[in-house]
Amino acid sequence: EISACLVGSEMCIRDSYYPLTVSQVRERLKKIERDHGRTPDDKARGIVKIDIDLLCYDGEVLKPQDWQRGDVCEGVAELASS
């Protein structure tokens, strides 16, 4: 079961089970970004059509610096209140 919420352009998924490795999940997220028009040079050009980050996996924080971002804090607060 997937519980999700959309906060601005952020999608948060929690309490989910994926029988995939962290590398496999990241590759699937990158494919979703590509399928929605993101190209490898977009970031360098300052273009953000879609950006999906895997912040934690199996209880391990993967991108601690991103947990300080306002949009992430907002999404986590919204999930905590639901």
Side-chain angles (χ1 to χ4, degrees), residues 16-18 20 22 54-62:
S16 303
Y17 172 75
Y18 295 101
L20 303 172
V22 68
L54 184 61
L55 301 177
C56 63
Y57 183 87
D58 197 25
E60 178 184 352
V61 174
L62 303 175

Side-chain angles (χ1 to χ4, degrees), residues 40-47:
D41 65 329
D42 282 348
K43 186 173 185 177
R45 295 176 36 215
I47 299 170

Side-chain angles (χ1 to χ4, degrees), residues 6 8-11 28-44 46-54 63 69 71:
L6 191 59
S9 62
E10 300 293 319
M11 183 162 193
R28 287 185 183 200
L29 296 176
K30 293 300 175 193
K31 181 178 180 332
I32 292 168
E33 291 178 340
R34 287 189 305 271
D35 289 350
H36 286 83
R38 185 166 184 172
T39 63
D41 65 329
D42 282 348
K43 186 173 185 177
I47 299 170
V48 183
K49 295 176 185 174
I50 183 172
D51 184 26
I52 306 171
D53 295 311
L54 184 61
K63 298 182 85 176
R69 292 182 10 209
D71 54 337

